[in-house]
Amino acid sequence: MLSFETLEALTIQEVPADFFKQLVVRQSGVYAEANDLALNSPSWRAPEGAMVEPHIRRALFENEFRLAAKNAQLDHDDMRHAGDNCGYGMVRAGKLAISTHHIGGPNHFVRACKSRKQNAAVNKFLDQLALDEILIEPIPQLDEAGIVYAHLLHGRIIEKRGDKEFSQDFLRFAFPDADLRRYTKNYSVLEILQKY
């Protein structure tokens, strides 16, 4: 079984710290811009603005993801989902293939779809535990892997206390299992940055 340290070490080895730093620094500004576009639009009123804000947040962060990759000299590809209903970006950082996802909370899981399942299939060995003696073929080791798929998760938690609302942004780096049912590991990006 791959250990916490191994996936963490792979992340630190393959992803330049500047990539994560830019996203951490820019996240609140991107979210403020999304809020402004959604809630101050002359095209709709507050109820519609509240509905579209998460979608605008996702789109603006996707662009920031692209810019952070460019600034860190990483490859970024614009991709289309298998249903051709939505685009997304994929960043290559050495052995890591990274897509970004706007979700409702730091422990929420992305919605399954054909494209994400196909991407996650490369992670089939991440959480398997077996005795080498009973295997017909040995399980690939992380250093032998061609690609490991990861999710950069972002979002905002809004908590109401009395008449006031308090918000907190989160940014996580997670490795889905091959069946796209759970995360093998789900790290705080801020904690990863402290280890560079």
Side-chain angles (χ1 to χ4, degrees), residues 7-141:
L7 288 171
E8 183 178 62
L10 176 69
T11 301
I12 291 167
Q13 173 187 314
E14 302 288 32
V15 181
D18 288 345
F19 174 74
F20 286 136
K21 283 179 187 174
Q22 179 173 338
L23 294 170
V24 167
V25 167
R26 289 281 302 131
Q27 185 177 17
S28 64
V30 165
Y31 283 15
E33 183 180 353
N35 182 276
D36 187 53
L37 289 169
L39 300 179
N40 296 319
S41 171
S43 302
W44 54 67
R45 292 177 41 188
E48 294 84 11
M51 183 184 76
V52 299
E53 183 185 4
H55 300 285
I56 297 172
R57 202 182 299 152
R58 177 217 171 262
L60 292 176
F61 194 86
E62 190 79 39
N63 183 59
E64 196 63 39
F65 181 67
R66 182 183 299 109
L67 294 173
K70 181 180 178 183
N71 291 339
Q73 299 180 350
L74 299 173
D75 291 330
H76 177 281
D77 292 312
D78 290 323
M79 311 286 283
R80 299 290 299 169
H81 282 292
D84 202 25
N85 58 348
C86 187
Y88 68 99
M90 183 74 73
V91 168
R92 280 300 300 266
K95 291 179 183 254
L96 293 175
I98 308 163
S99 59
T100 187
H101 307 274
H102 183 268
I103 57 173
N107 295 316
H108 290 200
F109 199 82
V110 299
R111 246 178 351 149
C113 69
K114 186 175 182 177
S115 303
R116 291 183 188 129
K117 285 182 179 181
Q118 289 172 337
N119 291 336
V122 299
N123 289 354
K124 65 183 171 194
F125 61 92
L126 285 183
D127 59 352
Q128 294 178 5
L129 176 63
L131 300 173
D132 286 337
E133 307 83 58
I134 63 171
L135 296 175
I136 295 171
E137 287 183 37
I139 294 172
Q141 296 300 308

